[in-house]
Each structure stands twice: as C-alpha cells, then as structure tokens.
Amino acid sequence: MTERTLPATPGQTVGPFFHYALPYPGDNELVPWGSPGSLTLRGRVYDGDGAPLPDALLEIRQAGIDGVVPQVPGSLRRYGVPFTGWGRCATDNAGEYRFSTVEPDASFIAVAVFARGLLDVLFTRIYLPGATDSFLDSLDTAERDRMTARREGDALVFDVRMQGEEQTVFLDFT
Amino acid sequence: MPTPLDSQATISEEIATYAKDPSGPQPRLDYAPYRSSILRHPTKALKQADPEGAELLAPVFGPTDVDPLEADLTIQDGGEPLGERIRVQGRVLDGDGRPVRRQLVEVWQANASGRYIHQRDQHPAPLDPHFTGMGRCLTDDDGRYTFVTVKPGPYPWKNHQNAWRPAHIHFSMFGTDFTQRLVTQMYFPGDPLFALDPIYQSITDPQARERLVASYDHDVSEPEFLLGYSWDIVLTGSRTTPMEATDD
Ligand SMILES: [Fe+2]
C-alpha cells in the first residue's frame, strides 16, 4: 500500500484555447513521416451524437521496436533526436488525429485524451491487432474489439468515442 | 433557430443541486452545468486497470527541449505586454511530497484584457501585440517552477447568458509516471466569479477546488517590479512502488 500524505491537485478541462500552446511542430512525428519502418496511427474522436471533436488532443506513450520505453529527452525539438516514445496531436476539423510512429514490441500504446467539454484527462490503450494480455482477457468481446486498433493498409486505425454504447474503454488507475 | 442560452440563475441552481452531493476531490466528468460536457463525458464506468509498460514511465524532457527564456511571457514579442506583471511559482510534487524533478510545465492564458490570441476567441477585447500568453519551463531539482507573466483578465464565454470565466492560467504537468499526467487551471484568490463558474464548480468538494487557487505571496513580490503568487501542484496517478516488500 502506498501512503498518500498530500491531497492531489484536481484537473480541469483543457478548454477551447490550447491550440496555440500545446501543439508544436513535429509533435505527432515520433519518427519522420514515411521513413522506413514507420507506421501511421490515426483515428477520429467522436462525441455522444457521433459528431467529430475538432478540439480534442491526444497524447501517446509507447515502447520502440525493441520493446523498450525510451527515457530520453527531445520530444519538443525532434529533429535529429532519437525516438522518444511520446507524442501529441490535436484533432483537426474532421476530428482526426494522426501520428507517425513505429509499431512497438509491446501489446499496447498508452493514450491520454483531452478535449474542450471533458473536465479531466481520460486514459485508454490502443492494443495492437492480435495482442493479448490479462487486462484484455478480462474484457468482453465487444470491449476487446473497441480497444484494439484495426489495420488499414500500412496504417493502424483507432477511433475514440467519448460516450454511448460504443464508448471507448477508459481506464481508472487509482 | 438556435436555442436561447440559459440564464446564470438556471446554471447556479444546477450548480447548487450538485453541490448538495459532493463527489470526491476530482471534477465530475458528468457535470451538466458545463454544457459542453453533456455529449463528451463517459456514460459507461471506467475500467480499473493496473498501470503497465509505457504507462509506468512519463516522457522525459531536458534542456534541449525548453529554452529558459520561455518561462518569461513578458519578453516574447519585442516589447512589454500591458497588465499587472506577476510571478507565479511553486513546486510540483507527488503524493508523498517528493519533488518532480526536471519535468515539463506548460502554461497558456488570456492577456490582461481577457483575450486569447486563439482564432476561435471572439471576445471583443483588444489583443496585445506583445503577448502570446504561452510559456514553458522545466522544474528544478527541488520540483520548483517559476513563470513571469501578466495577470490574465476574466473573459466571457457562451455556456450560458452572461457567462464569465474567473481569471485563470492553464497548466499542463507531467509526473514520473504517464498516469500522473495533469492538465488543470490555476485561479487567483478572492475571485467573485468562482461561485458562478461551472468549470470551477465541477469539483464539487470545496476543499479540493480551493487547491486550484494560488496564494498571494509577498515574499515573491519584487519591489517596483511585480506581484508574486505561489501555487504548489500535487500529482496523483498510481505512484506504485515497483519493489514493494511483500509480507503477506
Ligand atoms: Fe481559459
């Protein structure tokens, strides 16, 4: 048991005005677009009416092709730095995000979701097609499908649904 | 025809209803007084999970990522912005009080008139040619961050009729675990808009939401130069000890 001595600072929504502050050049480019071995990871974020969110922000954290989660700086000034295993992408007007990354030697890519209208961060996982682990095994088939990316050509596609029957499986780590 | 906006009285009544039944120290995701949350909060329960793999490690940032000048929002555009010059400083800690060292802190805010440079901000208040309102820094070995900026103004929004956000600075923080990721807003003491604001009130535990309010700190103020505010941040997340002694 970990003992908590200090109460946590509450979260608040990222709001509508983060676009000039959080996104930066190369934020979604964990490896150069189209470089050998690169993978496009993309998808859309939808609200409870099925409308795309043009003001969401996703962050991903992942291992590399060697299965190691890098602990190296350089994500904010990417050019010429090694793979950092972290990226950020604001959705566009169609609610779409996209990352250029690599397929990790791991079962999933960790995701944090922020949006106007969302009062605190939400976490999920993008499982690779065919991946399995004890958490995924604990879910029903529909949930497992919703947590697993699908392959479309050279890309992996993973949509985020904020609510409803098809809602993304969001995680509680507390 | 767009539906007319609700009145502040309607929103305040809803806020009062939620306040009767406080639900923990984090904001409610399902909080109808904040109208944009209605279609954007999860309607299914979150699944309990133990952090694994990449979730156990926050990204790492270093001096190559952030220029120290990015922590001064008053020197970014070749002239001094208008407004009350302030310093906001404090520490980023984990739940055990340990400093989060050399980690990225990002901030963004409206200018002194309550206007963001963001395209979507249509508030008819002046832009300031000398203020972009975004900054970054790395915490030091003591977990300390510090920004020099101007005090942001309150601003109107369209959640309801005559809706105004209390003055705030948006903060983005990382811990040592990916699961400690925090985006929040820092407020200024004594703001008369607190009671009326559904975003602030979405944290229904009064003590918890007060943790978002900085303190005026005269020891941080500098004579004939700026006013000081202090605000410490405590990250949550599952700060699990990987090698816990097992005695069961
Ligand atoms: Fe704001």
Side-chain angles (χ1 to χ4, degrees):
Chain A
M1 243 190 79
T2 42
E3 203 174 322
R4 297 206 180 280
T5 51
L6 298 174
T9 305
Q12 291 270 265
T13 180
V14 74
F17 299 133
F18 60 82
H19 290 90
Y20 71 92
L22 295 181
Y24 60 90
D27 57 358
N28 60 350
E29 200 175 349
L30 285 76
V31 298
W33 290 103
S35 58
S38 69
L39 167 80
T40 298
L41 171 66
R42 62 179 168 81
R44 284 189 183 179
V45 185
Y46 297 99
D47 73 11
D49 275 349
L53 266 65
D55 42 19
L57 182 85
L58 264 64
E59 290 178 357
I60 59 170
R61 181 75 173 129
Q62 65 167 92
I65 51 173
D66 53 0
V68 175
V69 182
Q71 289 191 276
V72 293
S75 294
L76 294 179
R77 307 268 195 274
R78 289 229 197 253
Y79 305 105
V81 306
F83 180 70
T84 64
W86 181 82
R88 170 183 282 171
C89 186
T91 56
D92 64 17
N93 284 336
E96 183 157 310
Y97 71 88
R98 51 178 65 226
F99 291 97
S100 174
T101 185
V102 296
E103 196 157 324
D105 183 13
S107 49
F108 67 83
I109 293 171
V111 184
V113 181
F114 306 92
R116 178 180 72 84
L118 177 60
L119 278 155
D120 203 0
V121 62
L122 285 171
F123 295 100
T124 186
R125 292 174 179 173
I126 300 176
Y127 278 91
L128 303 179
T132 177
D133 67 10
S134 58
F135 178 77
L136 210 53
D137 287 344
S138 74
L139 303 178
D140 67 36
T141 313
E143 290 166 340
R144 216 174 295 150
D145 286 351
R146 290 201 299 276
M147 258 195 138
T148 305
R150 59 181 194 274
R151 227 175 266 285
E152 279 187 17
D154 292 338
L156 284 183
V157 181
F158 182 88
D159 294 328
V160 177
R161 290 187 167 77
M162 302 306 295
Q163 60 178 224
E165 206 39 52
E166 298 293 301
Q167 181 193 305
T168 298
V169 178
F170 295 116
L171 303 176
D172 180 359
F173 293 115
T174 54
Chain B
M1 286 281 287
T3 38
L5 295 173
D6 287 311
S7 66
Q8 179 69 55
T10 300
I11 296 293
S12 292
E13 263 172 52
E14 292 179 29
I15 288 173
T17 305
Y18 280 102
K20 278 182 209 143
D21 183 22
S23 60
Q26 291 296 330
R28 289 182 59 109
L29 301 183
D30 175 8
Y31 193 71
Y34 176 31
R35 297 296 191 234
S36 310
S37 75
I38 293 173
L39 287 171
R40 294 179 171 205
H41 72 272
T43 46
K44 292 184 177 186
L46 310 196
K47 297 263 180 197
Q48 290 287 331
D50 292 324
E52 292 175 63
E55 288 160 349
L56 296 168
L57 296 169
V60 171
F61 300 93
T64 55
D65 288 297
V66 184
D67 188 312
L69 296 179
E70 291 181 73
D72 189 341
L73 286 73
T74 67
I75 56 167
Q76 291 174 350
D77 269 296
E80 290 235 61
L82 293 171
E84 269 176 64
R85 193 185 296 108
I86 60 172
R87 179 185 297 280
V88 179
Q89 66 90 43
R91 295 173 76 205
V92 184
L93 304 167
D94 72 13
D96 300 320
R98 286 176 295 205
V100 177
R101 300 189 163 101
R102 296 176 295 277
Q103 190 49 293
L104 179 65
V105 180
E106 297 162 283
V107 294
W108 68 103
Q109 63 167 91
N111 68 24
S113 308
R115 178 86 188 261
Y116 287 88
I117 60 164
H118 198 284
Q119 284 177 349
R120 255 177 250 181
D121 187 357
Q122 298 300 312
H123 176 33
L127 285 168
D128 185 331
H130 301 309
F131 193 69
T132 59
M134 70 85 67
R136 294 186 186 119
C137 77
L138 292 178
T139 58
D140 68 11
D141 282 345
D142 206 23
R144 195 166 293 282
Y145 71 89
T146 179
F147 290 102
V148 174
T149 183
V150 296
K151 193 174 178 190
Y155 61 85
W157 59 313
K158 296 190 169 65
N159 187 70
H160 55 279
Q161 233 179 62
N162 204 15
W164 289 81
R165 294 297 329 281
H168 59 273
I169 300 177
H170 295 265
F171 269 76
S172 159
M173 265 93 41
F174 294 82
T176 49
D177 292 19
F178 181 72
T179 55
Q180 289 176 298
R181 188 79 178 86
L182 177 69
V183 168
T184 191
Q185 303 180 22
M186 185 213 88
Y187 299 91
F188 292 86
D191 198 312
L193 295 167
F194 284 153
L196 309 177
D197 179 43
I199 292 181
Y200 181 69
Q201 296 292 333
S202 70
I203 304 155
T204 50
D205 171 347
Q207 281 188 330
R209 62 182 180 252
E210 278 163 24
R211 294 201 277 274
L212 294 182
V213 183
S215 318
Y216 170 69
D217 190 338
H218 201 63
D219 292 334
V220 176
S221 294
E222 296 172 32
E224 285 144 72
F225 190 60
L226 58 69
L227 292 174
Y229 289 88
S230 288
W231 184 55
D232 289 344
I233 297 137
V234 180
L235 300 179
T236 178
S238 64
R239 188 80 188 89
T240 45
T241 319
M243 295 295 172
E244 258 174 316
T246 48
D247 52 7
D248 53 351

